[in-house]
Amino acid sequence: MLTMIYACDTNGAIGKDGDLPWKQSSDLKHFKRITIRKTVVMGRKTWDSLPSGGLPNRRNIVMSRTPRQDVEVMSFEQILELSEDEELIIIGGGEIYSLFLQHCKEIHRTIIHTEVEGADTFAPDISKFGFYLIGENHQSPGPKDQHSMTFQHFIC
């Protein structure tokens, strides 16, 4: 099964200059809770933005056409095949989200209540793919958050 997780601003922006455009400790904790001890799939740019060694306590897979020594690499087809046997969580970036959206059965989306000026990466529009909201939780900013946020859980 394929699951997707991302945080976006109120306009769907997920990135600026190769990084997250906000500091949201509460969302990072939510991300960790959803992905810990699971397999995460990402593109090369997302991998390169992570600390050396990738995300701990998760199997890290990079979708790439170029072999790498520092991380497990798979093709689109290999990832789809693996998803038949286990849950894989798509963690970015924008092109990877768009590529896998039609194959996902579940989405964890955090709306960060801000508008990012100059954003250059956006989440795909999920409205045409049959997803429906099964849970939503609004949270005021914690001491290490810049903005309030809403955690949403969709299934297809």
Side-chain angles (χ1 to χ4, degrees), residues 34-50:
I34 299 295
T35 63
I36 199 76
R37 289 183 287 287
K38 294 186 180 169
T39 300
V40 294
V41 176
M42 68 203 88
R44 181 201 49 84
K45 291 178 188 174
T46 299
W47 171 258
D48 290 343
S49 74
L50 297 177

Side-chain angles (χ1 to χ4, degrees), residues 8-151:
C8 63
D9 76 354
T10 55
N11 294 319
I14 61 173
K16 180 178 178 180
D17 301 325
D19 204 357
L20 294 174
W22 45 68
K23 302 289 184 218
Q24 294 290 122
S25 178
S26 296
D27 183 55
L28 293 176
K29 289 176 185 171
H30 173 74
F31 175 89
K32 183 176 181 179
R33 184 177 58 77
I34 299 295
T35 63
I36 199 76
R37 289 183 287 287
K38 294 186 180 169
T39 300
V40 294
V41 176
M42 68 203 88
R44 181 201 49 84
K45 291 178 188 174
T46 299
W47 171 258
D48 290 343
S49 74
L50 297 177
S52 179
L55 296 173
N57 300 313
R58 282 154 275 211
R59 179 181 177 188
N60 292 260
I61 297 175
V62 171
M63 194 176 118
S64 177
R65 293 179 203 89
T66 307
R68 298 180 67 119
Q69 300 301 317
D70 58 341
V71 65
E72 185 176 4
V73 174
M74 287 190 180
S75 68
F76 177 76
E77 293 77 17
Q78 289 171 314
I79 291 166
L80 287 180
E81 187 176 323
L82 183 61
S83 74
E84 294 174 10
D85 298 325
E86 67 176 278
E87 181 182 18
L88 306 181
I89 303 181
I90 308 300
I91 66 167
E95 292 176 27
I96 302 299
Y97 288 132
S98 294
L99 190 62
F100 284 104
L101 180 58
Q102 67 182 351
H103 302 283
C104 285
K105 300 296 181 210
E106 189 171 355
I107 297 175
H108 295 275
R109 176 173 75 180
T110 304
I111 304 290
I112 309 296
H113 296 283
T114 188
E115 292 182 17
V116 176
E117 198 170 310
D120 54 24
T121 309
F122 293 84
D125 178 5
I126 67 171
S127 65
K128 299 172 187 142
F129 290 89
F131 288 97
Y132 59 95
L133 186 64
I134 61 168
E136 184 172 75
N137 179 28
H138 179 78
Q139 186 170 318
S140 298
K144 295 182 180 180
D145 298 322
Q146 292 178 311
H147 311 283
S148 61
M149 67 209 91
T150 301
F151 298 108

